[in-house]
């Protein structure tokens, strides 16, 4: 079966760095996505990785290792507004998005 | 960037009635639109994929006669929840794809449906 695993909840301090991991097992691979979702709102796109390596975009970076079925989202200089759920999703061989359950990130002052 | 709207943002209806949710791509033509459902503290669940002018493709376990999807134009898709029941209460989210790159999915703000 297809499976996306990510931690349920993480806590970090304002100004610090946090890494949210995601491991996956899917039928084929056509890219991995990270989305941010604030409570009661729809997800917003953060990043897309299809090749191995690190993609940096401002305070957020995303890393992919296809051989390990592993990705992480790195958030630097954390701000209170970063408190949200972070969803990892993989596009399989049928170009369907397989969603993880999300990691709730709590930022403390 | 690409903007997707949904209407209404919140709706409360009585059990047995039908509710229509609209999803519009405001500044682009969406060849494909997706409908998701999300229960509290759970991930997004794809319900169906719709392409303009053709019948929607429903995911396994989603009743196509209960969740009617119409994608009449390149900018509008509607989801009608027929004979709604309390267990249909959920957060319904649509997304739209430009079609040029498969990963370009833009999400609407979601519709909170409560069935009493």
């Amino acid at each position: 079966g297809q499976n996306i695993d990510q931690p349920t909840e993480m806590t970090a301090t304002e100004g610090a760095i946090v890494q949210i991991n995601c491991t996956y097992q899917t039928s084929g691979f056509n890219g991995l996505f990270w989305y941010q979702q604030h409570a009661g709102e729809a997800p917003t796109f953060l990043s897309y990785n299809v090749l191995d390596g690190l993609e940096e975009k401002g305070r957020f970076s995303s890393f992919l290792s296809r051989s390990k079925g592993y990705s992480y989202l790195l958030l630097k200089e954390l701000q209170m507004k970063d408190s949200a759920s972070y969803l990892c999703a993989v596009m399989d061989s049928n170009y369907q998005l397989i969603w993880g359950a999300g990691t709730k990130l709590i930022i403390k002052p | 960037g690409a903007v997707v709207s949904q209407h209404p943002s919140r709706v409360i209806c009585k059990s047995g009635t039908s509710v229509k949710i609209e999803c519009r791509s405001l500044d682009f033509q969406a060849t494909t639109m997706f409908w998701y459902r999300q229960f509290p503290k759970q991930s997004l669940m794809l319900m169906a994929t719709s392409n303009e002018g053709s019948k929607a493709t429903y995911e396994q376990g989603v009743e196509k006669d209960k969740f009617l999807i119409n994608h009449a134009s390149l900018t509008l898709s509607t989801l009608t929840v027929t004979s709604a029941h309390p267990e249909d209460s959920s957060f319904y989210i649509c997304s739209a794809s430009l079609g040029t790159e498969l990963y370009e999915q833009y999400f609407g703000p979601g519709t909170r449906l409560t069935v009493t």
Side-chain angles (χ1 to χ4, degrees):
Chain A
Q2 309 205 89
N3 197 48
I4 310 284
D5 284 317
Q6 49 182 133
T8 304
E9 187 173 297
M10 298 182 70
T11 302
T13 305
E14 189 177 15
I17 299 173
V18 71
Q19 178 176 309
I20 303 174
N21 296 324
C22 171
T23 58
Y24 63 90
Q25 291 178 310
T26 57
S27 302
F29 180 83
N30 279 299
L32 185 143
F33 305 78
W34 284 97
Y35 284 84
Q36 181 191 59
Q37 185 177 26
H38 285 99
E41 299 180 11
T44 54
F45 172 80
L46 288 179
S47 68
Y48 170 70
N49 294 66
V50 68
L51 299 177
D52 289 350
L54 187 68
E55 295 276 345
E56 296 186 76
K57 193 185 293 185
R59 294 189 298 115
F60 294 3
S61 302
S62 56
F63 171 83
L64 173 68
S65 169
R66 287 171 298 171
S67 61
K68 294 181 180 179
Y70 167 70
S71 171
Y72 68 72
L73 180 69
L74 191 72
L75 292 75
K76 303 176 184 176
E77 301 170 16
L78 286 170
Q79 301 175 10
M80 297 303 293
K81 67 178 183 179
D82 297 330
S83 292
S85 287
Y86 291 85
L87 308 176
C88 173
V90 173
M91 187 166 278
D92 68 10
S93 57
N94 294 319
Y95 296 98
Q96 296 276 16
L97 274 179
I98 312 299
W99 293 87
T103 298
K104 183 178 180 180
L105 178 63
I106 300 169
I107 309 296
K108 295 185 175 180
Chain B
V3 179
V4 176
S5 71
Q6 268 183 254
H7 177 81
S9 58
R10 290 178 180 272
V11 59
I12 301 173
C13 71
K14 291 186 177 180
S15 186
T17 61
S18 295
V19 174
K20 181 186 283 188
I21 302 170
E22 291 187 350
C23 176
R24 294 181 185 272
S25 55
L26 297 185
D27 52 0
F28 67 100
Q29 293 185 327
T31 55
T32 305
M33 287 186 169
F34 305 85
W35 285 97
Y36 292 87
R37 181 166 52 182
Q38 186 177 35
F39 292 105
K41 299 185 179 181
Q42 294 187 24
S43 188
L44 296 170
M45 186 190 80
L46 180 65
M47 299 175 68
T49 303
S50 75
N51 292 292
E52 184 265 338
S54 62
K55 290 184 178 180
T57 301
Y58 289 81
E59 294 300 300
Q60 194 171 11
V62 178
E63 300 173 58
K64 61 181 180 181
D65 294 330
K66 179 173 180 62
F67 299 99
L68 302 179
I69 292 172
N70 184 282
H71 193 163
S73 75
L74 285 171
T75 60
L76 173 64
S77 176
T78 60
L79 167 67
T80 301
V81 182
T82 63
S83 187
H85 290 285
E87 56 264 33
D88 298 324
S89 298
S90 186
F91 192 46
Y92 291 86
I93 308 172
C94 75
S95 71
S97 171
L98 285 164
T100 54
E101 298 268 355
L102 285 168
Y103 65 83
E104 288 181 4
Q105 249 187 72
Y106 299 91
F107 285 87
T111 296
R112 176 76 58 191
L113 170 64
T114 303
V115 184
T116 60

